[in-house]
Amino acid sequence: MRFTDKFRKKLNVMLQFFVLSAFSINESAAARRPIVNGTWIRMGMIIDEMMQSDQGPPSCKALPGLSPGQTKLCQLYIDHMNAVALGAKQSLNECTHQFQNRRWNCSILDDVNVFGPVITIASRETAFAHALAAAGVSHSISRACRDGQLASCGCSRTDRPKDLKKAWVWGGCGDNLQYGYKFTQNFIDVREKERKFKRGSRDQGRALMNLHNNEAGRRAVIRKTKVTCKCHGVSGSCSLITCWQQLANFREIGDYLRDKYDGATEVRVNKRGRLQLKDPHITIPTADDMVYLEDSPDYCVRNDVTGSLGTQGRPCNRTSADIDGCNILCCGRGYNTLKTVIKERCQCKFKWCCEVQCKTCVKSLDTHTCK
Amino acid sequence: MQQSFVYFSILLCIFEIFKFKMPGTILENLSGRKLSVLVTVLLLSQLACFLVGLISPSPAGIQTILATVCVDPEPEVRDKWFSRNCPKKVDLRYDNALEGISPNNLVFVVEMPNFQQDFSRWQQNLAGVLQIELVYRSGQKLLNPMIELTLDARLAYSNKVKNGGKTPWTHYTNAITERYMDCIFNDTAIENKEGYPYDCSMVPLFELGSLYHDYYLLNLRLPYDSQKELNTHLLKVEEIFLHMIHMNGGFTKVWISLKSIFFPIIVTIMIWFWNRVHLLSRTPALLEYMLIVLGGTLAFLDLPIEYLTLHFDMPYMLLLSDIRQGIFYATLLSFWLVFTGEHMLIQETGERNSLRKYWKHLSSIAVGCVSLLIFDLCERGMHLVNPFSSIWVTPLGTNLALTFVICAGLCAGIYFLFLCYMIWRVFKNISIKRSVLPSMTQARRLHYEGTMYRFTFLMGATVVCAGITIVSFILNQYTQGEHNLDDSMDIELTSIIHTGVYGMWNVYICALLMLYAPSHKQWPSEPTCSEGEEVEFSRLSSEPSTTPNEISSLTSFVAKANIE
């Protein structure tokens, strides 16, 4: 067990270097970013419309924010797009849940960039959003495999000749987690790979950062899986034992990634076109960790250039000394207190499956909002 | 090719052995050169078994399927099947979809296998394990850690039709069973627990002993009844996964090929062995009976009846293979006892040894095996009647099962104490006899030293075989469940372990049968053997104190020393 952990660590470091160095090759003359209209994460916002129009799978041209490479992949794997959109949607939901009490509350705007101009800054928050989106898609594709929605999961994806008797009667089939990981790797990372940057430029640094954070997100899905085993040898003994990976609930993956966000590392891109630690004294981030290039903008006050919405009018917790406390959230501006009487459902009794019997409680409550 | 090679080399060996003509067993009379040839051949075939494991996939595979939740508007009408494309589906993750639906309307549908695949009969058997995902909803009380589930499960099958379609779903079996599920909530410290999952244990659902049909369909309901207290503790179920474990067809093919190779070899060796015994003027000794029985049980284990499952529906295969393995291991354990007992070197002369002498020792094996057999009949035997049954569900059944398993474990413990004690005594006796050796003539001493060395060598081989088996299976537990992100590890350790260990016991028993077969004494000795040895030996075998049932000159020597 310990040995494989070591091996894993080694693998991580290796992979990280691979990720960091993959694009140092693309050194040719600085080509401008092709104008990709926003981000593919927007698919998560139009998923409900997609679902309602029951006209088979959506056409790739109708999907928002796809880069040329992604459009090609979309045409190849049109049946995956629903799962991709669902993944984007669950990552958006999770983002708002995880950041509901922070200065940047992951506000989803009706704009091509989904999060507004904030996402164009190579900040910690952008790192989190990318990682979470990658995790969402990876999770959603793996789940869709288990649902039997996708034709190319499991065995059929193996490129071996057909006469190899259906992958040795299933023995040679990869598992769904790996498939989700691989597909997400192709689908999301292609955006950063199809452009060419001047070595060491800001754009190249941004691409490397995105690649690293996408990897961190995908790995989070695998890190959070739980291994379960069943013995089925002679008389049910463990002479024969089979283990499998249990896909974690996405909430757990969100928690894990938020911890990674809190421990994200600041890096910069050097002249050789690689990411390098800004502060050489801290430990090198692994492929599981997030990296960012720029400081976060000031989220306290509204700024239309950076896209910050400001914290004015946000509810805060008066008693908390934590990040959701009025002190921190309101950036020292103070808060307004309002006495309100609210009606809420309480003392709920749940019944399997679909029935909830609740009482309505009337509570008088002090709500605090930032000035 | 592999088969013919192994076969040929073993035949060659047998031929070599045949040329040998000394009293006692072949082990003692085989020259060092021939012994080394034989050991090399055995080791090579052992290596071949390991290499065969390299090409095979892991023994068992897993496929996880997410249950489709269908709505059954008329739950009273039971005579229908819901497949994956049922008219009305709901997603339990979204509350708004569930209005006006009662738990009895919900059917969890699992079509097996996934991805437009179909089962192959090479996959032998199928076990299903449920994973029920419960989440916390705000306002809810935290659940009891132990949840009692009532499952109404129905299984249907279907087959491929030649022109590409499927036959309609046909009822296979159905049952209403109970299961227990342990659920823990790990995130109690978090204030807003909404949407956090419970950590629930797996629920074993069914076990099919044969995979005769191409497709299977599970329709599962979780009926709610507040009066009968059915599923009253179940709260917010979001998803149900079914993990189905099947044998890998590739592994079954490799396994059956191994059996098909070993079966004729072991039968040939048995016939040769029995012929050898019958050529003697004396009646067969106990050890020879034990050897032939051991060979017989191995042949029974090697008999590739799995071929029949490709044509016939044999749901009792799991039970049968358990029984076959049980008989083999029981005989092997008994053989070790008798083997050490016969080499105890303290024997009352003239008395004929029989199994009755070992009844005390053997009874521990018998009791252990019988309790395991009863347990197996309760668990796997019951699956023949109802694939959804499990002895572990009811408290009585759990106690009963535990009693049998503990009883078997105790017997195993007693057995090993017995065996270790006896082996210790044999080695003690040998070391005592060894101290007498210097007073013997040079030739005689050399011979006995060699014999003792070979006897210890085989005892060592037994320990090594048993050790490798235990270590490899423990290793197997550790390597399972490791997940790496790259495909570079394509070597399947599990299957190498299984083919290797299986091959090892086959080779071991072939070696026993060959080395402990009696040598010819009718044939005159030839001058090829070294003079001293021969003279010493013929003198010893003609001594009056040697009893006719003694098969090894070692025992005869020690018996003689004892009398002295």
Side-chain angles (χ1 to χ4, degrees):
Chain A
M1 269 331 216
R2 227 168 261 159
F3 169 74
T4 36
D5 274 351
K6 252 186 211 164
F7 178 71
R8 247 185 210 163
K9 266 182 202 156
K10 215 184 239 174
L11 189 93
N12 284 347
V13 174
M14 271 160 55
L15 213 125
Q16 180 203 1
F17 271 101
F18 173 70
V19 170
L20 292 186
S21 59
F23 292 96
S24 50
I25 317 157
N26 298 340
E27 41 162 325
S28 57
R32 283 299 305 156
R33 284 178 174 233
I35 300 146
V36 176
N37 200 9
T39 168
W40 60 272
I41 302 175
R42 206 173 141 70
M43 282 166 75
M45 294 170 71
I46 60 155
I47 171 84
D48 295 328
E49 300 161 32
M50 276 164 67
M51 291 281 223
Q52 273 160 15
S53 60
D54 276 331
Q55 291 150 2
S59 96
C60 292
K61 281 187 185 133
L63 294 175
L66 294 187
S67 75
Q70 284 180 320
T71 313
K72 262 184 212 157
L73 281 170
C74 168
Q75 280 154 357
L76 277 174
Y77 297 99
I78 187 74
D79 56 339
H80 288 46
M81 288 307 123
N82 221 350
V84 171
L86 271 172
K89 186 187 178 185
Q90 77 172 350
S91 72
L92 290 178
N93 286 344
E94 191 58 31
C95 182
T96 34
H97 170 84
Q98 293 292 344
F99 278 75
Q100 56 188 343
N101 296 323
R102 300 203 177 212
R103 283 182 182 171
W104 178 66
N105 65 346
C106 196
S107 41
I108 314 278
L109 308 172
D110 193 18
D111 121 302
V112 285
N113 281 332
V114 181
F115 303 100
V118 183
I119 207 79
T120 56
I121 301 167
S123 65
R124 212 183 255 263
E125 287 72 31
T126 308
F128 178 76
H130 274 96
L132 194 65
V137 175
S138 193
H139 186 269
S140 169
I141 293 279
S142 304
R143 188 182 178 278
C145 281
R146 296 177 175 200
D147 205 0
Q149 290 171 9
L150 310 180
S152 54
C153 300
C155 250
S156 39
R157 91 192 151 92
T158 46
D159 306 322
R160 298 175 194 183
K162 273 211 166 160
D163 52 14
L164 229 156
K165 271 263 166 178
K166 275 195 276 173
W168 213 201
V169 198
W170 306 8
C173 299
D175 79 350
N176 307 324
L177 272 168
Q178 221 145 9
Y179 182 82
Y181 176 90
K182 289 266 160 65
F183 178 81
T184 317
Q185 194 172 35
N186 290 332
F187 184 78
I188 297 182
D189 287 1
V190 72
R191 279 177 86 88
E192 318 297 337
K193 293 184 182 179
E194 61 198 356
R195 284 170 282 149
K196 287 188 170 134
F197 310 104
K198 191 179 174 208
R199 197 193 268 188
S201 67
R202 185 188 169 278
D203 279 347
Q204 197 219 356
R206 180 61 200 272
L208 291 181
M209 168 186 149
N210 287 351
L211 284 173
H212 188 104
N213 293 326
N214 292 344
E215 176 68 18
R218 287 189 296 269
R219 277 169 177 250
V221 177
I222 290 173
R223 286 281 173 267
K224 288 309 284 177
T225 53
K226 211 175 75 180
V227 177
T228 318
C229 298
K230 183 177 164 59
C231 296
H232 52 112
V234 188
S235 298
S237 72
C238 291
S239 62
L240 199 58
I241 179 169
T242 303
C243 297
W244 64 92
Q245 306 278 327
Q246 232 176 300
L247 206 55
N249 188 299
F250 199 65
R251 179 57 40 88
E252 295 174 288
I253 296 168
D255 279 1
Y256 176 82
L257 281 175
R258 200 205 39 224
D259 290 345
K260 291 287 176 196
Y261 160 86
D262 288 334
T265 318
E266 187 170 7
V267 292
R268 64 185 178 87
V269 59
N270 63 16
K271 280 185 189 145
R272 281 176 297 147
R274 293 176 185 227
L275 295 180
Q276 166 182 332
L277 289 174
K278 239 182 188 166
D279 176 4
H281 298 297
I282 42 178
T283 48
I284 298 175
T286 65
D288 291 341
D289 295 321
M290 290 181 203
V291 296
Y292 63 97
L293 292 165
E294 297 166 15
D295 286 329
S296 303
D298 183 7
Y299 292 113
C300 286
V301 285
R302 191 178 177 89
N303 183 338
D304 288 338
V305 179
T306 59
S308 163
L309 295 176
T311 58
Q312 196 183 1
R314 293 267 307 276
C316 62
N317 185 351
R318 195 174 61 86
T319 48
S320 165
D322 205 8
I323 201 145
D324 63 330
C326 291
N327 235 348
I328 294 175
L329 192 68
C330 304
C331 312
R333 291 187 307 260
Y335 52 90
N336 298 319
T337 306
L338 193 70
K339 262 200 176 357
T340 46
V341 177
I342 55 160
K343 284 181 183 172
E344 65 170 18
R345 303 201 303 171
C346 60
Q347 295 175 14
C348 293
K349 273 190 182 159
F350 284 76
K351 257 168 69 182
W352 158 247
C353 63
C354 318
E355 215 175 301
V356 191
Q357 293 168 336
C358 292
K359 285 179 183 167
T360 313
C361 302
V362 181
K363 267 204 313 206
S364 108
L365 201 71
D366 289 341
T367 55
H368 312 285
T369 49
C370 290
K371 275 185 185 167
Chain B
M1 254 181 27
Q2 192 77 269
Q3 176 180 7
S4 56
F5 170 71
V6 173
Y7 203 41
F8 177 73
S9 43
I10 288 192
L11 275 182
L12 205 75
C13 258
I14 294 167
F15 183 66
E16 285 286 306
I17 295 160
F18 251 117
K19 290 203 314 200
F20 230 82
K21 0 172 152 57
M22 291 293 271
T25 70
I26 283 174
L27 172 67
E28 293 153 56
N29 300 328
L30 208 55
S31 73
R33 196 176 56 83
K34 277 169 184 160
L35 187 69
S36 64
V37 167
L38 182 65
V39 166
T40 315
V41 169
L42 292 175
L43 282 181
L44 279 180
S45 42
Q46 171 65 63
L47 190 70
C49 290
F50 274 113
L51 291 181
V52 157
L54 274 179
I55 59 155
S56 90
S58 65
I62 183 114
Q63 200 171 76
T64 302
I65 306 174
L66 180 65
T68 312
V69 189
C70 292
V71 178
D72 178 8
E74 298 162 313
E76 299 80 26
V77 187
R78 300 307 301 273
D79 202 22
K80 63 190 172 229
W81 293 99
F82 287 90
S83 65
R84 198 182 280 146
N85 41 12
C86 54
K88 197 184 172 201
K89 296 179 213 173
V90 286
D91 193 335
L92 293 182
R93 290 181 297 174
Y94 306 115
D95 286 339
N96 48 9
L98 300 175
E99 270 170 39
I101 294 174
S102 95
N104 297 334
N105 291 127
L106 293 183
V107 186
F108 294 88
V109 174
V110 183
E111 264 184 55
M112 296 171 275
N114 219 339
F115 314 123
Q116 287 102 48
Q117 287 170 329
D118 54 88
F119 285 118
S120 150
R121 285 180 191 168
W122 287 101
Q123 285 171 315
Q124 299 286 303
N125 51 52
L126 189 71
V129 182
L130 281 183
Q131 176 197 344
I132 301 179
E133 292 280 303
L134 293 180
V135 292
Y136 179 85
R137 281 293 151 95
S138 51
Q140 202 179 278
K141 261 194 263 169
L142 280 183
L143 291 177
N144 291 334
M146 182 92 113
I147 300 174
E148 192 185 329
L149 294 171
T150 307
L151 304 169
D152 175 359
R154 284 149 49 84
L155 210 54
Y157 67 87
S158 157
N159 285 306
K160 270 190 288 194
V161 183
K162 281 222 173 87
N163 53 20
K166 272 185 192 183
T167 58
W169 293 111
T170 318
H171 178 267
Y172 187 75
T173 178
N174 72 305
I176 297 179
T177 61
E178 284 186 2
R179 293 288 189 276
Y180 289 93
M181 180 166 75
D182 292 321
C183 286
I184 310 162
F185 194 75
N186 289 324
D187 304 290
T188 37
I190 296 166
E191 206 170 301
N192 184 2
K193 301 187 193 72
E194 172 79 25
Y196 278 87
Y198 285 90
D199 185 5
C200 292
S201 60
M202 294 283 158
V203 182
L205 186 66
F206 64 86
E207 214 164 280
L208 299 181
S210 71
L211 209 48
Y212 186 70
H213 304 287
D214 291 327
Y215 308 99
Y216 288 86
L217 173 75
L218 173 74
N219 276 5
L220 181 76
R221 290 160 202 262
L222 298 166
Y224 176 87
D225 194 324
S226 55
Q227 270 141 24
K228 290 183 201 157
E229 297 219 342
L230 300 183
N231 292 324
T232 45
H233 297 292
L234 206 56
L235 301 173
K236 182 72 194 170
V237 175
E238 277 208 329
E239 292 172 330
I240 293 184
F241 290 94
L242 181 84
H243 305 281
M244 50 169 219
I245 302 168
H246 54 82
M247 297 296 287
N248 279 327
F251 183 78
T252 314
K253 283 177 188 169
V254 168
W255 196 247
I256 296 185
S257 327
L258 265 184
K259 286 187 162 189
S260 320
I261 295 168
F262 278 124
F263 182 66
I265 293 176
I266 188 81
V267 168
T268 318
I269 293 178
M270 275 171 66
I271 292 170
W272 168 81
F273 176 86
W274 208 231
N275 268 341
R276 268 281 163 114
V277 172
H278 273 282
L279 281 177
L280 301 175
S281 51
R282 60 175 169 82
T283 54
L286 177 62
L287 207 51
E288 282 156 354
Y289 276 123
M290 284 308 287
L291 273 169
I292 198 75
V293 169
L294 186 61
T297 54
L298 182 68
F300 183 46
L301 184 67
D302 281 343
L303 188 68
I305 44 173
E306 282 86 351
Y307 281 122
L308 295 178
T309 60
L310 303 179
H311 303 285
F312 306 104
D313 190 7
M314 297 163 77
Y316 42 83
M317 267 307 287
L318 265 180
L319 184 65
L320 188 64
S321 65
D322 278 7
I323 290 175
R324 285 204 293 176
Q325 289 210 32
I327 291 177
F328 170 69
Y329 286 125
T331 321
L332 187 63
L333 296 179
S334 319
F335 169 77
W336 283 338
L337 265 184
V338 174
F339 177 78
T340 34
E342 294 295 280
H343 287 82
M344 197 56 105
L345 316 178
I346 305 160
Q347 288 173 336
E348 305 100 89
T349 45
E351 190 193 306
R352 206 188 135 73
N353 284 340
S354 72
L355 267 186
R356 240 170 280 153
K357 203 179 128 193
Y358 295 99
W359 72 269
K360 263 184 285 182
H361 314 65
L362 290 179
S363 59
S364 73
I365 300 176
V367 171
C369 285
V370 165
S371 53
L372 266 189
L373 178 69
I374 294 173
F375 168 72
D376 220 54
L377 283 175
C378 288
E379 182 71 9
R380 293 222 153 126
M382 276 298 285
H383 281 149
L384 295 179
V385 187
N386 174 12
F388 295 104
S389 71
S390 171
I391 190 172
W392 299 99
V393 172
T394 57
L396 178 75
T398 308
N399 288 340
L400 210 67
L402 274 179
T403 315
F404 286 129
V405 172
I406 290 172
C407 183
L410 277 180
C411 288
I414 293 171
Y415 167 81
F416 277 107
L417 283 182
F418 256 132
L419 189 67
C420 289
Y421 172 67
M422 285 173 74
I423 290 173
W424 175 73
R425 274 183 63 187
V426 172
F427 276 108
K428 210 177 105 185
N429 281 339
I430 282 184
S431 66
I432 290 171
K433 301 290 142 56
R434 198 160 270 166
S435 60
V436 193
L437 281 178
S439 61
M440 298 175 185
T441 60
Q442 172 82 0
R444 191 173 165 181
R445 201 184 69 217
L446 276 178
H447 173 77
Y448 286 131
E449 271 177 350
T451 319
M452 276 178 182
Y453 168 73
R454 283 170 190 164
F455 168 72
T456 359
F457 180 76
L458 208 77
M459 281 302 289
T462 307
V463 171
V464 167
C465 283
I468 286 177
T469 309
I470 293 167
V471 168
S472 59
F473 279 118
I474 290 172
L475 201 75
N476 192 12
Q477 321 276 310
Y478 272 102
T479 54
Q480 274 292 320
E482 284 296 318
H483 196 85
N484 29 0
L485 291 170
D486 58 341
D487 308 292
S488 64
M489 289 282 281
D490 260 348
I491 295 169
E492 201 38 75
L493 193 63
T494 324
S495 49
I496 297 175
I497 285 173
H498 275 94
T499 54
V501 166
Y502 188 70
M504 188 173 71
W505 288 114
N506 271 285
V507 165
Y508 173 83
I509 282 161
C510 288
L512 282 187
L513 279 175
M514 290 192 284
L515 294 175
Y516 282 79
S519 291
H520 280 282
K521 51 163 132 177
Q522 279 87 350
W523 294 358
S525 44
E526 276 179 11
T528 42
C529 293
S530 74
E531 294 262 314
E533 244 183 337
E534 214 178 311
V535 171
E536 280 304 316
F537 230 101
S538 37
R539 194 183 63 80
L540 193 77
S541 57
S542 59
E543 269 185 277
S545 60
T546 39
T547 48
N549 67 320
E550 277 161 342
I551 58 156
S552 97
S553 59
L554 173 69
T555 45
S556 63
F557 151 68
V558 181
K560 177 175 159 281
N562 253 353
I563 297 157
E564 285 164 4

